[in-house]
Amino acid sequence: MVTYLDAETAPLRNTGQIRLYSEDAFAGMRKACQLTARCLDELAAMVVPGVTTETIDRFVFEFGMDHGALPATLNYRGYTKASCTSINHVVCHGIPDAKPLREGDIVNIDVTYIVDGWHGDSSRMYPVGQIKRAAERLLEVTHECLMRGIAAVRPGARTGAIGAAIQSFAEAERCSVVRDFCGHGVGRLFHDAPNILHYGSAHEGVEMRAGMIFTIEPMINLGRPHVKVLSDGWTAVTRDRSLSAQYEHTVGVTKDGCEVFSLSPAGLDRPGLN
């Protein structure tokens, strides 16, 4: 039995109940998500052949410090970086390191800032120099999956409608949807109820209600959907080593649809692509 509760009176832990936030909370999420979006905008010029993901991660940390924000991933369950950087066949949770990016790579950069207690969570794909048409097409398909998922958000619909919209488009484009990871409730907590699956039926999942806040973050593979987690306990890769891509926005359910908190103020939600 799914229960909903007023977020202002809810305990600061994941109880499995779904929080319904006020307009003041939406304002806090706008501020946090817009700082994250501004950081991702700045990264567009940095992602070039030869730069290391460690350099990118250092920028994410310093940008946050300069703006009074803490990277949520830093020391989260033992994770030691300010961002996740997932290259080529890495599906998610790639750990920044000293290896330079190469011409033709694609990289997802996932940033979450905590601003005044609110978590602004978003990620984008970045092409490194000139990329192959297959990689470019994957980025286009994945971003369209995200936008179709967002278009399905409205009060009264089921969260399964989000996954159905994503899966039907991805598979029509001969791509696959990763099932091992999902979107999630977010707000005062980094990860909260409900889980937002990126596949399934429109009649499944919990009912969306005004005041809910969650991420939509489809991971789409050129090959099969299967993944494995490497020995570092974080890095998830495609089992067939096919390319993977992901875009993520944080959204809030409104009385007549949804608000996307993490849109790029510079129009760079798809850096490097038209």
Side-chain angles (χ1 to χ4, degrees), residues 40-112:
L40 294 173
D41 284 352
E42 294 288 334
L43 291 174
M46 287 185 62
V47 179
V48 295
V51 73
T52 68
T53 51
E54 201 167 60
T55 299
I56 291 169
D57 187 70
R58 189 179 310 115
F59 175 85
V60 171
F61 176 79
E62 292 174 354
F63 187 91
M65 294 298 100
D66 290 344
H67 293 84
L70 180 69
T73 57
L74 194 60
N75 299 318
Y76 179 78
R77 297 183 178 177
Y79 191 82
T80 61
K81 300 294 184 178
S83 62
C84 295
T85 52
S86 303
I87 305 168
N88 295 337
H89 72 290
V90 178
V91 175
C92 60
H93 304 155
I95 303 173
D97 60 23
K99 183 178 179 181
L101 294 171
R102 299 181 300 177
E103 181 86 15
D105 286 342
I106 57 172
V107 57
N108 174 273
I109 304 177
D110 193 340
V111 175
T112 304

Side-chain angles (χ1 to χ4, degrees), residues 89-92 226-230 235-239:
H89 72 290
V90 178
V91 175
C92 60
H226 310 104
V227 308
K228 64 179 179 180
V229 177
L230 302 185
T235 308
V237 301
T238 56
R239 284 189 174 273

